[in-house]
Amino acid sequence: MIDLGPHAAFIWASYAIYALVLAGVIGWLVWDGARLKARLAALDARGVSRRSRAAAKES
Amino acid sequence: MTQTNTAPQQSLTQKLANPTRFMQLSGTLMPWLAGAAAALILYALYLAFFVAPEDYQQGQTVKIMFIHVPAAWLGMMGYALIAISSFGYLVFRHPLADVSAKAAAPLGAAFTFLALATGSLWGKPMWGTYWVWDARLTSMLILLFLYFGLMALRSAIDDEALAGKLCAVLGLVGVTILPIIKFSVDWWNTLHQPASVIRMDGPTIHPDLLWPLIVSALGFSLLFFALHMKGMRNEILRRRLRALTMAEVDRARGVSAPAAAE
């Protein structure tokens, strides 16, 4: 274990908060992207897509 | 006789600002950015914990600097990005600029919070207190509240175009906080130390501590841009989803309305 001196708790706590917050942000972005892609895929499976919308506008 | 191309010419920024092209470009670029960020952050951690010496006054707590300073820079850069995007949205009315501003707000807020939290944990052993209402700390706290205000304002308005415009105005007005944060340590008598890296006469930090800090700042900057790109991609997908759902609802209404009338 690295010896970080008498204030080791403050140093580890800083790095732990950093890791937690960044892991939370990354996790949220990945989860949000996967959820949106799944919902778009569900719409696409029902025949609702950007192409069908464009075709509907043209007709 | 020569044929002339009558298609409208697009500038480079217009080409890049096309959402479909942005999705293609960012899809290719994002994994490389994320990979480079991860490699640089791991290298910075190695330098911070195994190479960088103790500070002669602050001892090992100087290791907090390697994450605190990049967080503070990125917290401020996030707001600068919002201000530039807001200007682009208000002047050029390009929706991708609004997407950029929206995606940058939670990231900027996260890094500003990290700067405040790590600063507080650094302050206790060095200053004897977690918090003091000095100009640098207070102005950073105001920056965090500005981020919260931007996110709250956007989520409070259903009309996306109106929300974008109002957030762009707030984004531009709020940018005045950035020079206040930067020069707060010069204008007022603060407990926070004055600038020691970005100075007219060069950095005053020893190179053995400066180098890990620069690697760390580069790594977290690349991470910020990768996350911003991911946030923008998500927002584009969200807007596509909303448009398709609305179109489907309209179509269903168009079909069901005559039936209801019969």
Side-chain angles (χ1 to χ4, degrees):
Chain A
M1 192 76 173
I2 310 160
D3 179 22
L4 294 179
H7 305 305
F10 294 99
I11 300 166
W12 287 125
S14 298
Y15 279 82
I17 286 177
Y18 223 83
L20 270 176
V21 170
L22 289 185
V25 171
I26 293 167
W28 167 65
L29 283 172
V30 170
W31 172 79
D32 192 34
R35 186 182 62 99
L36 289 164
K37 276 182 189 165
R39 288 178 67 184
L40 277 167
L43 276 180
D44 198 36
R46 289 194 346 241
V48 185
S49 66
R50 294 170 76 209
R51 284 189 202 91
S52 70
R53 200 175 145 217
K57 271 186 181 174
E58 280 170 17
S59 61
Chain B
M1 194 171 165
T2 54
Q3 282 188 328
T4 52
N5 186 5
T6 52
Q9 293 291 312
Q10 284 189 317
S11 70
L12 182 66
T13 44
Q14 280 174 322
K15 282 179 187 168
L16 289 175
N18 178 301
T20 305
R21 194 164 288 119
F22 174 81
M23 289 298 275
Q24 289 166 348
L25 193 69
S26 61
T28 311
L29 202 60
M30 205 174 59
W32 291 99
L33 261 181
L40 276 173
I41 290 168
L42 284 175
Y43 182 48
L45 287 173
Y46 165 74
L47 290 176
F49 282 94
F50 299 103
V51 178
E54 286 184 28
D55 182 73
Y56 79 106
Q57 277 185 321
Q58 306 187 58
Q60 294 281 21
T61 63
V62 77
K63 293 194 186 326
I64 299 175
M65 176 185 73
F66 302 130
I67 50 173
H68 169 75
V69 172
W73 284 346
L74 290 170
M76 293 169 71
M77 194 201 69
Y79 206 91
L81 186 59
I82 288 175
I84 293 166
S85 301
S86 299
F87 181 80
Y89 185 57
L90 285 178
V91 175
F92 303 109
R93 308 240 167 219
H94 202 288
L96 208 57
D98 184 44
V99 167
S100 166
K102 186 178 178 184
L107 296 177
F111 279 102
T112 304
F113 168 77
L114 285 173
L116 287 166
T118 54
S120 181
L121 285 164
W122 196 7
K124 181 63 179 169
M126 292 301 102
W127 298 341
T129 179
Y130 285 107
W131 183 261
V132 60
W133 292 99
D134 90 348
R136 171 57 67 85
L137 278 69
T138 308
S139 53
M140 279 300 281
L141 186 64
I142 292 170
L143 177 66
L144 182 64
F145 291 156
L146 270 170
Y147 279 123
F148 289 160
L150 275 171
M151 289 188 282
L153 180 63
R154 195 179 282 276
S155 64
I157 301 167
D158 287 335
D159 183 339
E160 205 170 83
L162 179 64
K165 277 182 208 160
L166 293 179
C167 286
V169 172
L170 179 58
L172 281 174
V173 171
V175 81
T176 47
I177 194 70
L178 296 186
I180 293 175
I181 294 171
K182 167 71 184 152
F183 296 110
S184 58
V185 286
D186 303 322
W187 293 341
W188 293 286
N189 186 17
T190 62
L191 197 53
H192 194 282
Q193 66 173 57
S196 50
V197 181
I198 302 170
R199 295 166 56 99
M200 294 296 281
D201 54 350
T204 54
I205 299 180
H206 192 276
D208 288 347
L209 293 172
L210 182 62
W211 177 240
L213 176 60
I214 288 171
V215 175
S216 177
L218 272 174
F220 285 112
S221 298
L222 289 184
L223 178 68
F224 184 99
F225 287 119
L227 295 178
H228 184 240
M229 218 172 249
K230 177 67 178 161
M232 285 182 72
R233 287 172 64 82
N234 285 357
E235 185 55 27
I236 289 169
L237 292 181
R238 196 184 331 278
R239 290 181 185 199
R240 279 183 186 169
L241 181 68
R242 192 179 301 134
L244 287 175
T245 309
M246 294 295 284
E248 201 188 16
V249 168
D250 287 346
R251 202 166 51 186
R253 275 186 187 151
V255 171
S256 62
E262 279 170 8

